[in-house]
Amino acid sequence: MKSKYLNILCLIYAAFIFQWVGCTSSNDSPSPGTAESDVMEQPRIGLIMKSLANEFFSTMQEGAIQHQSANQSYELICNGIKDETDLARQVALVDEMVASGVNAIVIAPADSKALIPALRRAVQAGVVVVNIDNQLDKSIMEQESVSIPFVGPDNRSGAKMVGSYLADQLKPGDQVAILEGKTTAFNGVQRRLGFEDAARDAKLEIVTSQSADWETNKANGLTISILSEYPNLSAIMASNDSMALGAVAAIKSLNRTDQVKVVGFDNITAIQELIRNDIVLATADQHAADLAVFGIEAALQQLGDQNAELLDVQTPVDLITKETLE
Amino acid sequence: MQLKTAKHFALHHAGLLVVLGILTLIFGLGTDSFFRFQTLGVIANQIPDLTLVAVGMTFVLIIRGIDLSVGSTLALSSAALGSLLIDHDQPVLLAIIAAVLVGSLCGAANGLISVKANIPSFIVTLSMLEIARGLTKLITNSETKYIGSVIEPISNPISPISFSPAFLFAVTVVVASQFVLRRTVFGRYCIAIGTNEDAVRLSGINVVPYKVTAFVLCGVFCGIAGIFHAAKLSTADPNAAVGMELSAIAACVIGGTSLMGGRGNVSSTFLGVLIIATLQTGLATLGVSDPIKQIITGSVILIAVISDALRQRWS
């Protein structure tokens, strides 16, 4: 009986090995889909995004795809994860991209710490890695003795800009609430700090600051609870526009649109409509469509000149209000 | 003997092997890199946690239960591991034992409450899903806990075979569980209980310890999976394995395990895990757009289940 199970063990391994039978034959001939031999010389860049269900990231990816088709100087492989918390999948994507032989990885990490070991492995395998959107944790990078450049906006000053614009419409002592992003994400923390900076400067009272995990639905439920707890609330500062949408729906459902102002971050299409209609006051545009492109350009530069220094690049953040939209 | 077993295995898993083969062929021809040895390693080292959870789920499904709390239990174990290692400076071995213990306690709670109080395991484990996730967030303070390289060797590939210790362990668990399920009194009783619990009870057998053990086993596997998960990420992640119960159930169902109990195979579940992982990696290597990925994944699960159903009918 024992030998039978040993056999099964062997067979399972065999089933596994089954996966790469015929590898010699396929390597000889050029594979379909990856095009002709002259393109083979072009660098391949893997773009690893967060949830593509979030318009912010799909816009970012669209921008990258357009940039690629306009330039044709590199090959682009785009991948995202199903939701913002699917860390394990994103780590796997890094490994998969390295295995598939990309020259560079441009990544919007779902977590500022957990992705570092995987990215360290990529760097060790000779892949150029550029960090966009959500900045990786500096101290952990030091521990892992790896240095990855960050190409992106300063979220804290962006959030402060939005918060200050809101504060101009309120008076000192007014109550505000913050909807935080994921507490594990660096940009989420930066935006909260930026909102707090603005509130402190204008002497607004932050009555509560809670995480809705970047999600519309969670923000909706959370806002309803906050509004019933704080009947005198004057404004909600949402760390992204998806959550601002959830907050707006909650405020509407309680008929308090006139009393509670909302600001967001990201400038997604849905929020622009609300800003034009005075339902949302302001948001910040960090030029989503260009964010991945900035990262790709940094990666290409690095690939072109291996000795170039890896430097962080700060990209612009603009305040979006009804006036700027017109 | 060897030939006969091989034939038996191939026949029994024909549908799944064909699906896996077709997938491999498509991805292999569609990309430059899929047939590389490295890709195989990437797939293998991704699946130990899902494999263990799916094996545990197979036992629970066979006794006609369900465990929705597997993802949260996994997260709680890895949080316990991370907290002991980082916040309390405990030795690795102790942290690992604690993680397994946490998993088994969750499993025991699921089993005892659902069996003793005769409440559907769907409800009990749904509550456990929330409780364990809440505890995880409490322990980690809702922040990713960076553990570092202490536990990394568990999921780092061993050169030159490019498989990690975690993967080798998972495969061993698959084989051992298959043996337990098919060749031990415990395994046979589990199948009997899932098929007709009343008949088993009427023949004078106390079903309670067997059913509870199935849940505890699932919890233990989740605990070990939690260690593997933490090792893979070098972090304890409060959002680890959200929704993993669905992947685990999908793997079981692809492998022909019945949600109605009494029918299931650990080796088929493993093939189910392989199909899911191959699909994920292959689609990512191709860079297929996200909506298309989901549609294809759903379709492949459906095709695998249909092909299994047809095979059942023909044999």
Side-chain angles (χ1 to χ4, degrees):
Chain A
M1 219 25 78
K2 240 184 203 167
S3 74
K4 186 183 164 192
Y5 279 88
L6 271 179
N7 285 338
I8 292 182
L9 179 63
C10 295
L11 281 163
I12 289 177
Y13 280 122
F16 217 86
I17 288 161
F18 191 55
Q19 300 218 355
W20 85 97
V21 280
C23 61
T24 40
S25 63
S26 81
N27 279 352
D28 296 341
S29 54
S31 310
T34 43
E36 320 78 274
S37 50
D38 60 323
V39 198
M40 296 298 246
E41 300 305 314
Q42 290 189 347
R44 299 177 70 204
I45 296 184
L47 177 63
I48 302 178
M49 307 296 284
K50 291 202 248 174
S51 166
L52 295 173
N54 182 337
E55 188 192 313
F56 177 65
F57 292 106
S58 51
T59 310
M60 215 192 270
Q61 180 173 312
E62 282 305 310
I65 291 169
Q66 275 171 20
H67 182 259
Q68 192 275 337
S69 59
N71 281 305
Q72 295 290 344
S73 62
Y74 61 95
E75 217 182 301
L76 186 67
I77 306 159
C78 301
N79 277 295
I81 47 178
K82 68 172 160 44
D83 58 45
E84 315 252 324
T85 60
D86 198 2
L87 285 189
R89 183 71 202 120
Q90 211 183 27
V91 167
L93 273 174
V94 173
D95 290 339
E96 285 162 6
M97 286 299 109
V98 173
S100 78
V102 295
N103 303 95
I105 288 175
V106 176
I107 183 168
D111 185 281
S112 33
K113 295 175 189 163
L115 264 296
I116 295 176
L119 293 172
R120 190 235 314 135
R121 290 196 290 274
V123 170
Q124 282 166 350
V127 176
V128 168
V129 179
V130 173
N131 169 207
I132 57 170
D133 177 57
N134 175 23
Q135 193 166 5
L136 294 167
D137 189 298
K138 284 254 158 56
S139 67
I140 306 283
M141 279 207 280
E142 238 162 64
Q143 276 187 53
E144 293 271 343
S145 46
V146 63
S147 161
I148 295 165
F150 175 69
V151 175
D154 182 346
N155 279 281
R156 184 167 181 169
S157 65
K160 189 180 173 191
M161 200 159 61
V162 174
S164 301
Y165 183 80
L166 167 74
D168 290 343
Q169 322 251 335
L170 302 175
K171 50 185 191 305
D174 276 356
Q175 293 186 336
V176 295
I178 298 176
L179 296 182
E180 300 173 28
K182 287 220 80 67
T183 47
T184 44
F186 180 80
N187 57 350
V189 176
Q190 291 300 304
R191 290 178 194 180
R192 175 179 54 94
L193 291 173
F195 285 143
E196 284 174 5
D197 290 345
R200 198 178 315 111
D201 290 353
K203 301 200 166 50
L204 302 177
E205 185 198 351
I206 300 173
V207 288
T208 180
S209 176
Q210 294 179 54
S211 170
D213 288 342
W214 298 126
E215 286 169 27
T216 307
N217 191 33
K218 278 194 186 158
N220 186 287
L222 187 57
T223 306
I224 289 180
S225 325
I226 292 176
L227 288 174
S228 34
E229 179 69 24
Y230 302 100
N232 298 322
L233 196 79
S234 309
I236 287 183
M237 306 199 269
S239 300
N240 76 351
D241 284 345
S242 297
M243 293 193 291
L245 290 178
V248 165
I251 294 166
K252 243 185 221 163
S253 73
L254 298 177
N255 283 325
R256 284 169 63 178
T257 314
D258 297 335
Q259 300 134 45
V260 186
K261 298 185 195 316
V262 177
V263 292
F265 203 107
D266 287 344
N267 193 24
I268 65 175
T269 321
I271 217 80
Q272 291 171 2
E273 203 46 46
L274 295 176
I275 291 178
R276 283 199 193 91
N277 295 330
D278 289 321
I279 298 169
V280 170
L281 194 63
T283 187
D285 190 348
Q286 41 176 340
H287 305 277
D290 297 329
L291 281 184
V293 174
F294 291 141
I296 288 169
E297 280 170 347
L300 285 173
Q301 198 184 345
Q302 184 68 24
L303 285 171
D305 176 12
Q306 297 290 347
N307 298 324
E309 223 183 324
L310 297 165
L311 287 178
D312 290 2
V313 180
Q314 207 179 95
T315 59
V317 187
D318 297 331
L319 179 70
I320 302 296
T321 61
K322 198 178 179 187
E323 289 75 43
T324 61
L325 281 175
E326 269 149 18
Chain B
M1 178 79 189
Q2 179 125 32
L3 245 178
K4 216 172 131 193
T5 320
K7 207 171 146 196
H8 180 254
F9 184 89
L11 265 180
H12 198 86
H13 300 89
L16 299 177
L17 287 172
V18 167
V19 172
L20 191 57
I22 292 174
L23 284 180
T24 310
L25 210 64
I26 293 173
F27 292 132
L29 294 177
T31 66
D32 293 332
S33 62
F34 199 74
F35 280 141
R36 273 189 212 159
F37 196 74
Q38 204 186 350
T39 305
L40 182 79
V42 165
I43 297 179
N45 298 330
Q46 246 178 65
I47 56 169
D49 43 2
L50 180 60
T51 303
L52 286 179
V53 170
V55 169
M57 184 71 84
T58 307
F59 276 100
V60 174
L61 288 178
I62 281 174
I63 61 149
R64 207 173 176 169
I66 195 162
D67 189 346
L68 299 177
S69 69
V70 286
S72 301
T73 305
L74 184 157
L76 184 57
S77 308
S78 67
L81 178 88
S83 171
L84 284 174
L85 284 176
I86 301 305
D87 303 339
H88 304 285
D89 281 324
Q90 295 299 317
V92 179
L93 191 65
L94 185 91
I96 286 178
I97 292 169
V100 178
L101 204 65
V102 165
S104 60
L105 285 177
C106 290
N110 282 335
L112 285 172
I113 296 170
S114 66
V115 176
K116 286 277 187 188
N118 204 12
I119 304 169
S121 52
F122 189 98
I123 309 294
V124 176
T125 58
L126 188 63
S127 322
M128 182 58 81
L129 178 150
E130 295 292 347
I131 295 170
R133 183 66 64 183
L135 285 172
T136 307
K137 291 186 174 167
L138 208 61
I139 292 177
T140 56
N141 203 12
S142 291
E143 284 170 10
T144 314
K145 223 175 247 317
Y146 175 77
I147 299 174
S149 50
V150 238
I151 50 165
E152 233 175 73
I154 297 174
S155 64
N156 273 354
I158 316 168
S159 60
I161 52 169
S162 86
F163 294 143
S164 62
F167 173 72
L168 299 176
F169 182 86
V171 170
T172 313
V173 164
V174 168
V175 175
S177 303
Q178 178 73 3
F179 179 80
V180 166
L181 189 62
R182 292 286 146 191
R183 297 290 159 192
T184 63
V185 175
F186 169 74
R188 304 308 295 181
Y189 276 162
C190 282
I191 295 171
I193 290 168
T195 314
N196 190 339
E197 191 177 329
D198 289 336
V200 176
R201 193 179 289 127
L202 289 175
S203 51
I205 294 157
N206 181 8
V207 297
V208 174
Y210 296 101
K211 291 178 80 175
V212 174
T213 307
F215 280 99
V216 173
L217 213 52
C218 186
V220 169
F221 287 152
C222 290
I224 303 171
I227 299 166
F228 290 172
H229 194 274
K232 189 163 70 181
L233 299 179
S234 306
T235 44
D237 168 19
N239 301 307
V242 170
M244 194 186 239
E245 59 280 358
L246 296 180
S247 305
I249 292 170
C252 294
V253 171
I254 289 175
T257 301
S258 167
L259 291 178
M260 297 293 127
R263 190 165 79 87
N265 241 324
V266 176
S267 54
S268 321
T269 296
F270 182 61
L271 285 178
V273 172
L274 275 186
I275 288 176
I276 292 176
T278 305
L279 200 59
Q280 248 179 11
T281 303
L283 291 175
T285 313
L286 281 175
V288 177
S289 78
D290 213 47
I292 304 296
K293 262 182 204 162
Q294 289 187 312
I295 293 169
I296 293 178
T297 309
S299 309
V300 169
I301 294 177
L302 208 56
I303 291 169
V305 173
I306 291 172
S307 76
D308 181 67
L310 288 177
R311 192 192 56 79
Q312 293 275 335
R313 202 175 303 162
W314 289 336
S315 57

